[in-house]
Amino acid sequence: AQSVTQLGSHVSVSEGALVLLRCNYSSSVPPYLFWYVQYPNQGLQLLLKYTSAATLVKGINGFEAEFKKSETSFHLTKPSAHMSDAAEYFCAVSVNFGNEKLTFGTGTRLTIIP
Amino acid sequence: DSGVTQTPKHLITATGQRVTLRCSPRSGDLSVYWYQQSLDQGLQFLIQYYNGEERAKGNILERFSAQQFPDLHSELNLSSLELGDSALYFCASSVGAGATTGELFFGEGSRLTVL
């Protein structure tokens, strides 16, 4: 079965600093990987997805992630943090076996320090 | 706005009771998923329906059941409620069940509090 592990349940960065949220996956078949963001009192929203095309994936709000098969990683980055980036971020994995069930990581709460 | 509608947004009830959560998927989406989000368990997949039929089942308790109706809306029924069932229940929808884009569109959730 596939799974993802998010390292760090809480991450704090200063406004303008680099954001790095870590995600490692485990899958016996080529995975599809996703980052979702959850703002307070809202549902989850797709930030970006990797579906076996380009390994560097760009998403909304200036976020990007790189798929590294050798490291089984899909870390999320943003060059310069903004106060509005404060939210909870979830990494998720899916495999192509006939449904789109996503398995989510435990989430990383990102705090931006003014 | 994701296009997925969940009702009610908040629900407070007592142990032993039964509640029904409702979800209307995005227009055109055939799949509906239910997830439970709690502080100790994180986001747990409960069940998926595709065009009225159960497609995948996750960590759904026997006290819970769901269905998807011909108009594609879905209901999640929670019975014999326990304190530990207090959580945020999300519904999500997607276009199909065999495609591989994996993009799910989430509603804002129904927050259940069991007292």
Side-chain angles (χ1 to χ4, degrees):
Chain A
Q2 69 277 13
S3 65
V4 288
T5 302
Q6 291 185 242
L7 301 176
S9 57
H10 292 86
V11 170
S12 295
V13 301
S14 297
E15 190 175 14
L18 171 72
V19 175
L20 170 61
L21 305 182
R22 299 177 187 275
C23 173
N24 288 90
Y25 70 90
S26 173
S27 176
S28 58
V29 297
Y32 297 88
L33 295 161
F34 310 85
W35 277 99
Y36 279 79
V37 60
Q38 184 181 25
Y39 297 104
N41 301 314
Q42 294 188 25
L44 282 74
Q45 178 185 3
L46 181 68
L47 268 182
L48 50 80
K49 60 186 178 185
Y50 166 76
T51 56
S52 75
T55 56
L56 182 62
V57 181
K58 294 186 183 298
I60 62 172
N61 301 338
F63 284 93
E64 63 182 36
E66 186 172 7
F67 174 72
K68 292 187 176 180
K69 185 177 179 180
S70 61
E71 298 177 9
T72 62
S73 69
F74 191 58
H75 301 330
L76 181 71
T77 61
K78 182 174 180 178
S80 177
H82 191 271
M83 295 300 295
S84 61
D85 295 327
E88 186 140 21
Y89 292 79
F90 293 90
C91 183
V93 62
S94 175
V95 296
N96 180 16
F97 58 86
N99 68 58
E100 294 168 281
K101 176 174 79 73
L102 293 182
T103 300
F104 286 88
T106 51
T108 298
R109 183 168 298 279
L110 177 64
T111 300
I112 310 299
I113 303 167
Chain B
D1 182 4
S2 68
V4 178
T5 304
Q6 289 188 247
T7 57
K9 291 190 184 306
H10 301 276
L11 190 55
I12 301 174
T13 188
T15 54
Q17 296 297 305
R18 172 189 171 95
V19 299
T20 297
L21 309 180
R22 182 188 170 102
C23 170
S24 294
R26 287 191 325 155
S27 177
D29 283 358
L30 298 179
S31 271
V32 169
Y33 308 76
W34 287 97
Y35 282 84
Q36 179 193 57
Q37 186 180 38
S38 60
L39 286 176
D40 56 344
Q41 298 284 339
L43 260 172
Q44 296 288 315
F45 168 71
L46 296 179
I47 198 164
Q48 176 200 0
Y49 280 84
Y50 173 73
N51 204 21
E53 294 190 3
E54 183 182 304
R55 186 82 178 191
K57 186 177 275 191
N59 302 321
I60 188 166
L61 300 172
E62 286 191 9
R63 299 183 286 108
F64 297 180
S65 65
Q67 56 184 325
Q68 186 180 28
F69 295 88
D71 67 353
L72 301 178
H73 90 272
S74 177
E75 293 181 355
L76 178 66
N77 300 296
L78 315 174
S79 61
S80 303
L81 285 168
E82 302 175 359
L83 295 178
D85 298 328
S86 296
L88 191 53
Y89 291 84
F90 283 109
C91 171
S93 72
S94 67
V95 171
T100 57
T101 62
E103 181 165 4
L104 272 58
F105 295 86
F106 282 79
E108 295 188 353
S110 292
R111 183 170 295 281
L112 173 66
T113 302
V114 182
L115 301 176

